[in-house]
Amino acid sequence: MRSIWNGSISFGLVTIPVKTYSATDRTSSVSFVRIHEKDGAPIQYRKVCELDGAEVPNEEVGKGYQPPGDEVVVPITDEELSRLPMPTAKTLSILSFADPSEIDPLQFDKAYYLGPNGPSAAKPYALLREALEHHAKVAIGKVAMRGRETLAMLRAHDGALVMHALLWPDQVRSAEGIAPEAVRIRENEMKLAETLMDSLGALDPAELHDDYREAVEELVAAKREGGAPVAPGAPAVPGAQVIDLTAALERSVRAARGGASGTAGDGAEAASVTPIRGRGTAREKTAAKQPPPAKKTAPAKDVGGRTTGTRTTKAAKTAAGKTGGAKANTGTARTGSSTAAKTPADRGSTRKTAAEKQPRAKRTTKPTAS
């Protein structure tokens, strides 16, 4: 790994010479070049003077500063910049130590590894690293790199010191007016959200990869071989949109635990949806409270030769609801077994007897319905 900057860490009266290495690599990300579509040749970017339109060579390119809100550009030379007082030039000056939670992640910019520069720097380097780990602190300081001063944070990581370049506080924009206001979160929704967080498990960094980059590489390989580009697979069609937040959380928890994805297919348990208060009509609520209607069967004969009408009336439904579902199921099973042994003559007499007893059933129905 090549060092990109040499300097030192100022820790009180202790000076630690260090070398700086880039801790991140963005070259693996997808990057496109602009080409001329007519012939496929890359397009070059030339430096052109806005005043005379002439192309400017690199040796004639200088620096200038344009104050905010001003149209005048003031030329500044490297010699003038070198004479400016900058105590943090080539030195990371530690100002204080803080808890990691006190640093807003929005301020993180770029990360660098710091290594000891020479044998004499090994012991103070290790001392600072161990002190940061033991006290669970980070060091905050300022450093000048590449012609500008920046805020920096030092922390111990994997046996080394890592320096994070930080944005200045005034460079972080406020979130005022972005977040919604007066949103009521129910207790069961919060519990489901926390359960979902616990069910997702730990993150394995080895499983993280750039799917888009892999797809671009496959596309380029197919085109170089003269084949047709591979058509991307059709994305999974999502089911019906769940507008109940509780139902969506319950399905997510089941999916995170390796259960059903929210559908009832393949023997999977259907989602237990807690309806949002106030949803549904009065007719739907009334229908949900009523028991399901009993199955209608043909009349049957009992052992004594008497004919009993088995058509279920409203009075029979009420009686079945009071005595319990077990007796109703037993009566239905017996009726089904005796019905299979009837003859056509029996069916005729049974219909007659049932018709004679029908008025009595109707009279029983009226007080029950009220």
Side-chain angles (χ1 to χ4, degrees):
M1 189 181 298
R2 187 174 63 88
S3 173
I4 62 174
W5 181 81
N6 293 343
S8 61
I9 300 175
S10 175
F11 177 30
L13 298 178
V14 178
T15 300
I16 309 172
V18 292
K19 290 185 176 182
T20 305
Y21 309 88
S22 181
T24 58
D25 182 12
R26 300 184 181 182
T27 58
S28 60
S29 61
V30 175
S31 179
F32 299 101
V33 296
R34 297 185 179 273
I35 63 172
H36 188 195
E37 292 185 351
K38 184 178 180 180
D39 51 21
I43 298 176
Q44 296 182 359
Y45 290 91
R46 293 183 172 88
K47 301 178 179 64
V48 178
C49 177
E50 294 185 359
L51 184 61
D52 56 14
E55 184 176 352
V56 181
N58 290 331
E59 57 271 14
E60 295 183 8
V61 177
K63 294 180 181 178
Y65 181 78
Q66 184 176 5
D70 197 342
E71 297 181 357
V72 178
V73 178
V74 180
I76 297 179
T77 64
D78 292 337
E79 184 181 356
E80 292 173 337
L81 292 175
S82 63
R83 292 198 298 264
L84 293 177
M86 188 177 294
T88 57
K90 295 290 184 178
T91 302
L92 171 59
S93 179
I94 296 178
L95 303 177
S96 65
F97 295 88
D99 292 328
S101 59
E102 297 178 11
I103 308 302
D104 192 341
L106 286 175
Q107 291 184 252
F108 290 162
D109 191 7
K110 189 172 175 54
Y112 303 89
Y113 286 128
L114 298 183
N117 189 3
S120 61
K123 186 172 183 178
Y125 178 93
L127 175 63
L128 178 58
R129 179 197 61 199
E130 295 296 329
L132 292 175
E133 286 185 345
H134 181 72
H135 288 280
K137 297 285 187 177
V138 295
I140 306 298
K142 295 191 299 181
V143 63
M145 291 180 62
R146 296 180 177 179
R148 65 187 64 188
E149 190 176 56
T150 182
L151 198 63
M153 181 189 79
L154 277 183
R155 68 182 180 96
H157 171 71
D158 199 17
L161 289 176
V162 179
M163 181 181 70
H164 292 270
L166 302 179
L167 300 176
W168 297 98
D170 59 354
Q171 292 179 313
V172 179
R173 296 178 177 177
S174 173
E176 184 179 358
I178 297 177
E181 299 179 0
V183 177
R184 180 176 174 268
I185 304 298
R186 296 184 295 177
E187 184 177 358
N188 63 327
E189 294 171 344
M190 180 61 69
K191 290 181 178 178
L192 283 171
E194 293 175 350
T195 303
L196 176 59
M197 293 169 63
D198 296 336
S199 301
L200 290 177
L203 178 64
D204 184 5
E207 297 181 356
L208 301 178
H209 58 277
D210 191 347
D211 294 328
Y212 181 72
R213 184 187 67 187
E214 294 178 359
V216 171
E217 291 174 352
E218 293 176 1
L219 172 63
V220 172
K223 298 191 72 172
R224 292 187 65 179
E225 294 175 0
V230 180
V237 179
Q241 183 180 6
V242 180
I243 58 176
D244 192 332
L245 179 58
T246 305
L249 289 170
E250 289 174 346
R251 293 185 180 186
S252 300
V253 170
R254 257 196 321 280
R257 289 177 176 175
S261 60
T263 60
D266 299 332
E269 181 184 359
S272 175
V273 179
T274 303
I276 296 178
R277 184 176 300 175
R279 179 174 296 173
T281 60
R283 181 179 299 177
E284 293 172 349
K285 294 179 180 178
T286 305
K289 294 180 180 179
Q290 293 180 353
K295 186 177 181 181
K296 296 181 180 180
T297 60
K301 270 187 178 180
D302 59 10
V303 178
R306 292 175 297 175
T307 305
T308 305
T310 58
R311 174 173 290 182
T312 305
T313 62
K314 292 183 179 179
K317 292 180 184 178
T318 307
K322 292 180 179 179
T323 56
K327 293 183 180 180
N329 293 336
T330 304
T332 305
R334 290 177 180 176
T335 303
S337 61
S338 58
T339 303
K342 290 189 297 183
T343 62
D346 294 335
R347 293 191 182 120
S349 60
T350 301
R351 283 195 296 269
K352 183 177 179 181
T353 307
E356 293 174 355
K357 292 186 177 183
Q358 189 66 23
R360 182 178 297 177
K362 290 182 178 180
R363 287 195 298 270
T364 309
T365 303
K366 291 182 180 179
T368 304
S370 60

